[in-house]
Amino acid sequence: MLLSVILFTFIAAMLSTIMVPGIIKLCKIYSLYDSINARKIHSGNIPRLGGVAISFSFIIITVLFFFLDKNLSFFNAFPLLAAGMLIFIFGILDDVVELRAIFKLLVQLVACGIVVAGGFRFRQIFGLIIPDTLSSLITFCWILGLINAYNLIDGLDGLCGILSATTLFTMGIIIHGSYKEGAAICMILVGSIIGFLVWNWPAPNAKIFMGDNGSQFLGFMIATIPLYVSGEEFEFNKFLMMLVLVSFPMLDTIAAIWRRIRDHRSIMSPDRCHLHHKLLNLGFDKHQALYMVLGIQDVICLMVWLSTLFDKEITFIILIIAYIFVIVFFVVIHFTNRAVLRKIASENEQRNSGEIPKL
């Protein structure tokens, strides 16, 4: 099975890469460009339907893979794929006509309902069995949170794609022994993302963005694949393990919500205070900011994988250390960025008051 998964992952990458130029031409014909707002750092008209290449190549190759490999059950993965395509389709509509927030929420809730009804949910946290009602509520919040977290983190060329690919790759390795269907889905989706990243990498600028259809679809898939019942050792620390793997988009989203509530603004309002904005404020260019996040994400993924080689108590300690590491990184970047902004504001104030000459 391993060789066939590698082969189909490669095919998914090739198909995704080949599809993007056609999508770029289509976006130019119908002027489907990414909107520019307070959160965006790009200029010019950049096509925004790159997620179509990711999702189409993924679903085509996945269906083909399940059809050819009789050892896998398509039924075990159907609720995830069906709900994922629902998120994807309405993501495209959102990119084209900009759906109202309440309507997007309703669609996301329906997708969550399909997943939970299909038996995919958190059943225990640290060995504590969760009642069905509470389990469903936690699962709903988890999926909704990640859909929107990956949507918000998609503000720098290559960032959402590389965070998603590294997380999915790590998940695929971890669950391959207990959920072969999920492991295959992870790896094929990694291939589709890599094909898209060929065109989305900042070299020097991305040729296409994935759009809401891509980022929401990836957030949904990352949230739902680990929900399948797996081995006892993985189940015990699964929730914490996933918190660590998605710590970058999740912590960035929590910070954004807190910031907007504190400033009495809508939690949906855009701003330039996300992690990648702060790294750019500190003098890093787009490549450096991306590689810094990628380097730390790789360390996180390695720690999560290594943690699975030990018993559940040691795994718990390693995961806590990894999560604290990411939190410390966020805190350091936050306060360093705030000090830089205050220094700039002070210098501007002095220039305006005539205390120092204007440059």
Side-chain angles (χ1 to χ4, degrees):
M1 176 182 171
L2 177 60
L3 291 178
S4 60
V5 169
I6 294 174
L7 174 62
F8 278 83
T9 298
F10 177 76
I11 295 173
M14 294 300 296
L15 181 58
S16 179
T17 304
I18 294 170
M19 290 179 66
V20 172
I23 296 171
I24 292 176
K25 290 181 180 178
L26 184 67
C27 289
K28 289 181 177 179
I29 292 173
Y30 293 100
S31 298
L32 298 174
Y33 300 115
D34 194 60
S35 59
I36 299 176
N37 57 38
R39 185 167 66 93
K40 304 298 175 65
I41 61 175
H42 72 277
S43 59
N45 294 326
I46 309 296
R48 64 181 178 185
L49 294 182
V52 173
I54 296 175
S55 300
F56 272 24
S57 61
F58 164 72
I59 197 66
I60 290 171
I61 301 304
T62 299
V63 170
L64 180 61
F65 180 78
F66 276 81
F67 177 77
L68 294 176
D69 194 328
K70 303 303 181 182
N71 295 319
L72 300 179
S73 170
F74 186 75
F75 177 78
N76 285 343
F78 180 75
L80 300 186
L81 298 177
M85 293 311 296
L86 181 66
I87 293 293
F88 164 65
I89 291 170
F90 281 91
I92 291 180
L93 290 176
D94 188 30
D95 282 323
V96 174
V97 299
E98 296 188 13
L99 301 175
R100 295 177 60 185
I102 185 63
F103 188 73
K104 289 190 288 186
L105 176 61
L106 288 175
V107 172
Q108 292 171 6
L109 288 172
V110 171
C112 291
I114 294 173
V115 171
V116 173
F120 293 82
R121 56 186 174 85
F122 287 112
R123 288 178 166 79
Q124 63 167 282
I125 297 180
F126 308 135
L128 179 65
I129 303 299
I130 310 172
D132 288 350
T133 302
L134 180 59
S135 172
S136 298
L137 179 60
I138 292 174
T139 302
F140 266 72
C141 293
W142 166 257
I143 299 174
L144 289 175
L146 282 198
I147 290 173
N148 292 286
Y150 277 86
N151 184 229
L152 285 176
I153 203 69
D154 185 28
L156 181 69
D157 297 349
L159 182 58
C160 183
I162 201 65
L163 288 175
S164 300
T166 51
T167 297
L168 286 163
F169 182 78
T170 306
M171 286 166 49
I173 292 176
I174 293 172
I175 67 176
H176 78 278
S178 57
Y179 183 28
K180 296 186 185 305
E181 291 84 359
I185 288 173
C186 284
M187 295 307 180
I188 294 172
L189 187 49
V190 168
S192 296
I193 295 170
I194 291 174
F196 163 75
L197 285 173
V198 171
W199 301 94
N200 182 242
W201 205 254
N205 295 303
K207 303 296 189 297
I208 190 171
F209 296 151
M210 67 172 63
D212 288 352
N213 70 91
S215 59
Q216 291 183 25
F217 174 74
L218 291 178
F220 175 84
M221 294 305 294
I222 290 170
T224 54
I225 292 172
L227 297 178
Y228 191 82
V229 176
S230 50
E232 178 61 29
E233 289 293 319
F234 178 56
E235 283 291 323
F236 185 87
N237 284 303
K238 181 165 67 176
F239 188 70
L240 179 57
M241 199 174 293
M242 288 308 304
L243 282 179
V244 175
L245 284 175
V246 303
S247 54
F248 267 113
M250 179 166 285
L251 290 174
D252 190 62
T253 299
I254 292 173
I257 293 174
W258 162 249
R259 188 167 58 245
R260 291 160 190 176
I261 292 175
R262 178 198 63 195
D263 297 339
H264 305 290
R265 293 185 291 118
S266 167
I267 61 173
M268 303 301 294
S269 61
D271 59 33
R272 294 178 64 89
C273 297
H274 291 277
L275 175 65
H276 49 277
H277 294 126
K278 293 175 181 178
L279 291 174
L280 296 176
N281 289 341
L282 296 180
F284 296 99
D285 62 28
K286 290 190 294 184
H287 294 82
Q288 293 168 337
L290 179 61
Y291 289 133
M292 174 178 285
V293 174
L294 173 58
I296 296 175
Q297 176 72 5
D298 286 343
V299 172
I300 293 170
C301 291
L302 180 60
M303 292 181 70
V304 170
W305 173 73
L306 287 174
S307 73
T308 63
L309 303 179
F310 301 93
D311 59 40
K312 56 189 179 183
E313 289 78 13
I314 301 299
T315 297
F316 176 82
I317 294 173
I318 294 174
L319 293 174
I320 289 295
I321 292 173
Y323 201 61
I324 292 174
F325 171 68
V326 182
I327 292 174
V328 169
F329 174 76
F330 265 82
V331 171
V332 169
I333 295 299
H334 170 74
F335 283 102
T336 304
N337 175 69
R338 188 161 72 173
V340 169
L341 293 181
R342 285 178 175 176
K343 181 180 179 181
I344 293 174
S346 176
E347 290 176 352
N348 290 337
E349 184 178 347
Q350 290 176 3
R351 287 193 185 97
N352 292 334
S353 64
E355 294 180 20
I356 60 177
K358 295 182 179 180
L359 300 178

